[in-house]
Structures are given as C-alpha cells and as structure tokens.
Amino acid sequence: LNGQRMDANVVVLGTDNVGKSALIVRFLTRRFIGEYGDIESLYTHNVVVDGREQTLNIWDAPYSQDLSSESLMYEKRVQWADGFVLVYSVCDRASFNAVSRLIQIIKTNKDILGVEKMPIVIVGNKRDLDHRRTVLSEEGSILALSADCQFYEVSAAENYHSVLMVFHGLVHRIRESRVSV
Ligand code: GDP
Ligand code: MG
C-alpha cells in the first residue's frame, strides 16, 4: 500500500534466562516447552491484528554485557527494528536494571539515526513465580510511563493470552507510528 513495507521487524532483548525464547516460542506455537537453546534465531510469523494480516520478523537476539563497546551492534539493531520487546524476570532485579539501560541505548541510537518513533514494549516475565518476586509490578509501570513504553506482566509458562497481548500491543504501536510519521 503506497509502497509502504507491510512487514514489521521486532527485536526481543533482555539478559540471559529471563524467558525471551520461551516468550517467542509460546507466541509462535502456543506451547511452553521448558528448555530452550541459546541459539540466536530469526522467525517469520503471520498474525491477524484488528482484522488485518501482519507479517512479523522476530529476532531472538543475544544479550551483550558490554553495552558501550557494542554500540555499533545496537545501532544496527535499531536500524533494522520497527519495534522492541524488552524482557526482564520479576524474580531478577539485575534483569530489570538491564531493561532501563537498554531503553537508554535504544533512545540514543534512535536519535543518532534520526529515527522518528521506536515503539518499545517492556515485559516482566515469570509472574507465576510470585513467591520469588523481587521486582514489583509498580516498578515496571513507572519505568514504562517514564520512558513512554507499553508494559505487560506475563507468564510465558502459564498464560498464552498475556503473551499474545505483548505482540499484538506492539503491532498496534508500530502501525500507529507508521501512520503518524
Ligand atoms: P532466555 O535466555 O531469555 O531466552 O530464557 P529462556 O526462554 O531460555 O528461559 C530461561 C528459563 O526460564 C527456562 O528454564 C524456562 O523454562 C524458564 N521460564 C521462561 N519463562 C518462564 C515463566 O514464565 N515462568 C517460569 N516459571 N519459568 C519460565
Ligand atoms: Mg534464549
């Protein structure tokens, strides 16, 4: 339509073990397998959101501890992406802190590249492990508000619907950003 590219590139980021692969596989297959390799993967998946078909390219990206020296890597990711899913575990404070840093890095690279809008969804995963929770729901909401991101708490293990909301929510935001630029 009007020569506009209709597929959407989504990068899923977060520290190791937060459930990035579980989240993606749940979305793609509706299933929770439990164990996932550490293989970097790119998936293509068609979904219908608001009655319109959408092709998503989803990148299960590896995390780099060394955020500063890897800036070129993040620049390339921002260049490729139409939106980000930033995942932490509600039982892992360090993974939540990493999401804050990733937001900053994405915003910096977005400005460098002159990208107008970059939709970001923040995901607090493993909400089923409430007895081991160290990050409050409210902390996720506040971070999302302050950074103008969407926020969902989910359980890739126990709730398919919550995972669906994440990706559909992001598709909404990506479509909005394309209309308004
Ligand atoms: P990644 O390194 O971020 O890709 O994390 P994985 O998807 O490999 O998941 C790491 C571990 O957390 C695995 O043992 C998963 O089974 C587990 N896991 C992922 N999501 C959930 C969840 O929502 N609840 C629980 N209890 N465990 C989860
Ligand atoms: Mg993984």
Side-chain angles (χ1 to χ4, degrees):
L1 296 173
N2 303 326
Q4 205 178 34
R5 192 167 55 80
M6 290 309 288
D7 57 334
N9 294 341
V10 174
V11 183
V12 180
L13 281 181
T15 54
D16 292 338
N17 221 38
V18 294
K20 299 180 298 296
S21 302
L23 191 82
I24 295 167
V25 170
R26 179 66 123 160
F27 175 61
L28 299 178
T29 69
R30 297 180 179 234
R31 292 199 173 83
F32 181 74
I33 302 160
E35 289 308 319
Y36 307 85
D38 279 331
I39 307 157
E40 177 177 2
S41 309
L42 180 65
Y43 303 93
T44 297
H45 189 61
N46 292 313
V47 283
V48 175
V49 179
D50 292 338
R52 277 169 57 203
E53 199 171 312
Q54 182 70 55
T55 300
L56 288 176
N57 302 309
I58 302 171
W59 183 5
D60 189 351
Y63 181 73
S64 169
Q65 289 292 340
D66 194 354
L67 297 172
S68 55
S69 69
E70 297 287 300
S71 62
L72 197 64
M73 180 181 83
Y74 283 101
E75 189 178 314
K76 281 180 183 150
R77 287 175 180 184
V78 172
Q79 203 157 30
W80 182 80
D82 296 301
F84 283 85
V85 177
L86 303 183
V87 189
Y88 66 91
S89 160
V90 300
C91 320
D92 178 356
R93 166 70 47 184
S95 73
F96 181 68
N97 296 336
V99 164
S100 292
R101 290 200 300 278
L102 286 168
I103 290 170
Q104 290 314 312
I105 288 165
I106 290 165
K107 300 229 158 174
T108 303
N109 281 292
K110 173 178 153 292
D111 293 345
I112 289 169
L113 293 164
V115 175
E116 197 74 33
K117 295 227 170 120
M118 184 56 72
I120 297 173
V121 180
I122 298 170
V123 176
N125 187 36
K126 308 198 186 186
R127 73 176 302 181
D128 57 290
L129 301 178
D130 207 42
H131 54 292
R132 281 170 46 195
R133 178 189 284 273
T134 55
V135 183
L136 297 173
S137 250
E138 289 74 15
E139 294 178 88
S141 311
I142 289 166
L143 176 63
L145 265 178
S146 68
D148 191 26
C149 304
Q150 282 175 299
F151 171 63
Y152 298 94
E153 268 198 1
V154 308
S155 168
E158 293 191 347
N159 193 325
Y160 168 69
H161 183 74
S162 64
V163 173
L164 199 64
M165 296 283 289
V166 167
F167 288 94
H168 282 212
L170 187 58
V171 167
H172 272 289
R173 289 275 289 238
I174 289 171
R175 285 177 177 171
E176 271 172 23
S177 73
R178 285 176 173 176
V179 169
S180 61
V181 170

